[in-house]
Amino acid sequence: MTTPRPGRVLISEPELRTRIGELGQQIARDYAGETPVLVGVLQGAFLFMADLVRAIPGDITTDFIGLASYAGGNRSSGQVRIVSDLAMPVENRHVVVVEDIVDTGLTISYLRRNLEARHPRTLRVCALVDKIERRQVDVRIDYVGFTIPNVFVVGYGFDFGGLYRNLPYVAALDETPP
Ligand code: IMP
């Protein structure tokens, strides 16, 4: 069986740049006078996080949390575990979780519960992509970059079995045999 390849571009580089710029401005306005900590969810959000923080004209700090929710293919295992934890406590901090995609919602609902237990001052979620059709649990997403239909995407941090994260745009995975 051949490995599926990136297909049609769903979100281009200019579209990413424009929308992430808007999200950065919105976050800066919402946290004016405060210093929120942006928590990037690894690995998928590493490119989004890097571009988003540069689009925020204001004081912030950053941290990362590594989660594993997928077995390496393209199906949710429904199981989430922390593979590397935050470096700093978030107690009494304004926390903005920076996630690549919300699909079934299982990962972000687990992460919300986990972080709430650390008593942040506030907790919001910013997701680059929302695949709302696939939702299994009701989760609040405070900032959404793009809403997309039920297609598996790769590129700009999104992987298929570890591949394609390095593409500078978001594409649909082409699963049709050549
Ligand atoms: P959820 O728990 O089903 O919401 O899935 C969240 C995680 O699944 C994301 O952080 C991604 O790592 C992964 N994921 C979901 N959909 C896709 C996709 O279309 N491409 C790549 N990864 C995905």
Side-chain angles (χ1 to χ4, degrees), residues 6-73:
R8 176 169 68 90
V9 175
L10 286 187
I11 312 172
S12 67
E13 286 185 75
E15 285 170 325
L16 286 166
R17 207 174 310 117
T18 303
R19 184 68 189 122
I20 293 169
E22 291 168 356
L23 288 172
Q25 292 290 337
Q26 194 182 341
I27 290 171
R29 272 197 308 276
D30 291 354
Y31 293 90
E34 307 286 351
T35 306
V37 52
L38 274 79
V39 172
V41 183
L42 296 174
Q43 293 187 43
F46 78 112
L47 290 179
F48 177 39
M49 176 79 169
D51 287 337
L52 182 65
V53 295
R54 284 180 286 184
I56 300 175
D59 289 343
I60 58 149
T61 65
T62 58
D63 207 336
F64 291 90
I65 193 161
L67 298 184
S69 63
Y70 267 51

Side-chain angles (χ1 to χ4, degrees), residues 69-70 76 80 99-108 131 134 151-154 158-159:
S69 63
Y70 267 51
S76 178
V80 184
E99 176 62 298
D100 56 354
I101 191 165
V102 181
D103 186 24
T104 61
L106 291 168
T107 305
I108 205 66
K131 246 198 249 180
R134 295 244 316 154
V151 284
F152 194 84
V153 292
V154 292
F158 297 110
D159 76 305

Side-chain angles (χ1 to χ4, degrees), residues 3-4 72-74 152-154 158-165 173 175:
T3 308
N74 62 0
F152 194 84
V153 292
V154 292
F158 297 110
D159 76 305
F160 174 76
L163 286 173
Y164 313 133
R165 289 194 201 275
L173 187 69
E175 296 184 79

